[in-house]
Amino acid sequence: MSMTDAAAFRASPEEAADAASAAASRAGVEIRLLEDVGDFARVAELFQSIWTKQGETSPVNVETLRALSKAGSYVGGAFEHDELVGACFGFFAAPDQRALHSHIAGVSARMRGRSVGFALKVHQRAWALEEGLDEISWTFDPLISRNAHFNLVKLAATPTSYHRNFYGHMADALNGADDTDRMLVTWYVRDPRVVAACHGEPVPAREHDGAALLSVGGDLGPLRHRTDARLVRVALPRDIESLRLAEPARATAWRLALRETLGSALEGGGRVLSFDRSGAYTIDRGEQG
């Protein structure tokens, strides 16, 4: 599906269901809504294996998932045969927003790289359209390059705002002990760009010639640059997760540098134009003054 085709094709529950079915088939999984307490226990166990250290509790419990499901919110699971290999859940925003906030999505280590996470999000979009919603929002760690690419390029979500230490100190297996800065994105489920992305053909981002605002230094640490340019580029380290384990002080320096560049630009009214294959955001900072 080209961008022209997507623009001409009206988003609908039927279109979204077809996209979700195709995405699940390509990933080799079955995705369905979860309503059984036994399945909720499996979700809690899966998330515990992804996010926590040995002996720690899961980031979600059975009771919370049961309540969300009973209230009509989204709790979905991806299965390879009878094994739960991925899950995602979210809850409704205020009624007048016609929106869902997607809180956690995760895929087992064995199934990563097989587009299970993509299939879960496309299924969630189909559910949202069936429910008459217009948008889905969620947060991600803007320092993790692969997550930025997945959210902004593969899913065509729109960066909305930057939040400093959004969850407080989590100290789990993925976040380390540092502040949890997050980017909030909004997925406009009827947008032609989102339609194209969900059918596996994301619209290529425009190339922008921005001035370097943050780059990777020779020591792999963050290197700040002074510039008055309106269009700027903010680069990310290749593997911040490994850096958090091996050199936590340097990882913290990266978080602070990203907060002072990407975060300050968005807080000042700027917007992210793209995220490219080199691992850099291009930002329009607007009129400086």
Side-chain angles (χ1 to χ4, degrees):
M1 178 182 294
S2 69
M3 183 58 182
T4 301
D5 295 333
F9 191 84
R10 182 178 177 84
S12 69
E14 294 75 22
E15 166 272 316
D18 287 345
S21 177
S25 178
R26 289 193 298 269
V29 295
E30 175 194 357
I31 300 179
R32 64 174 186 263
L33 295 177
L34 304 181
E35 300 176 345
D36 180 80
V37 169
D39 284 336
F40 299 147
R42 295 164 79 181
V43 173
E45 291 170 2
L46 174 65
F47 285 177
Q48 182 176 29
S49 72
I50 296 171
W51 273 282
T52 67
K53 302 170 186 176
Q54 187 172 8
E56 295 180 346
T57 58
S58 172
V60 66
N61 58 38
V62 173
E63 294 86 349
T64 298
L65 293 171
R66 185 72 183 95
L68 287 170
S69 174
K70 180 64 176 67
S73 290
Y74 179 87
V75 185
F79 293 83
E80 184 185 46
H81 306 300
D82 292 329
E83 181 186 354
L84 180 74
V85 296
C88 180
F89 73 89
F91 39 84
F92 287 110
D96 61 341
Q97 290 183 267
R98 295 163 57 93
L100 180 84
H101 182 78
S102 185
H103 183 46
I104 299 179
V107 175
S108 69
R110 183 176 68 81
M111 296 294 285
R112 287 174 196 159
R114 290 179 47 178
S115 295
V116 175
F118 176 78
L120 275 165
K121 295 304 293 184
V122 177
H123 181 271
Q124 189 180 58
R125 172 181 175 260
W127 174 90
L129 280 167
E130 188 67 37
E131 293 289 324
L133 304 184
D134 295 325
E135 61 188 59
I136 302 171
S137 64
W138 63 88
T139 64
F140 74 95
D141 184 342
L143 262 174
I144 300 178
S145 183
R146 72 172 189 279
N147 286 358
H149 181 269
F150 177 73
N151 290 306
L152 306 189
V153 178
K154 194 166 184 180
L155 292 178
T158 300
T160 306
S161 55
Y162 188 100
H163 297 268
R164 304 179 182 220
N165 203 22
F166 188 70
Y167 293 111
H169 289 264
M170 297 176 71
D172 60 28
L174 296 184
N175 290 288
D178 203 1
D179 284 0
T180 52
D181 287 19
R182 292 293 183 266
M183 176 92 80
L184 178 71
V185 296
T186 302
W187 211 24
Y188 299 104
V189 296
R190 305 173 195 276
D191 187 320
R193 291 179 64 255
V194 173
V195 174
C198 287
H199 285 270
E201 296 192 16
V203 179
R206 278 184 54 200
E207 293 293 329
H208 300 280
D209 294 325
L213 185 63
L214 180 65
S215 63
V216 181
D219 62 352
L220 303 184
L223 182 61
R224 295 280 305 275
H225 306 273
R226 292 186 177 276
T227 176
D228 293 325
R230 175 167 177 164
L231 292 186
V232 293
R233 288 170 53 81
V234 171
L236 299 183
R238 184 175 297 275
D239 187 357
I240 189 64
E241 291 164 295
S242 295
L243 204 59
R244 283 169 175 158
L245 293 174
E247 299 183 70
R250 185 164 293 175
T252 295
W254 268 108
R255 178 185 55 74
L256 291 173
L258 194 69
R259 176 185 287 185
E260 293 162 2
T261 53
L262 175 64
S264 293
L266 293 182
E267 290 164 357
R271 61 191 180 96
V272 175
L273 299 180
S274 64
F275 186 82
D276 62 38
R277 291 183 179 275
S278 73
Y281 298 95
T282 298
I283 307 164
D284 180 352
R285 295 194 291 184
E287 296 294 339
Q288 303 293 297

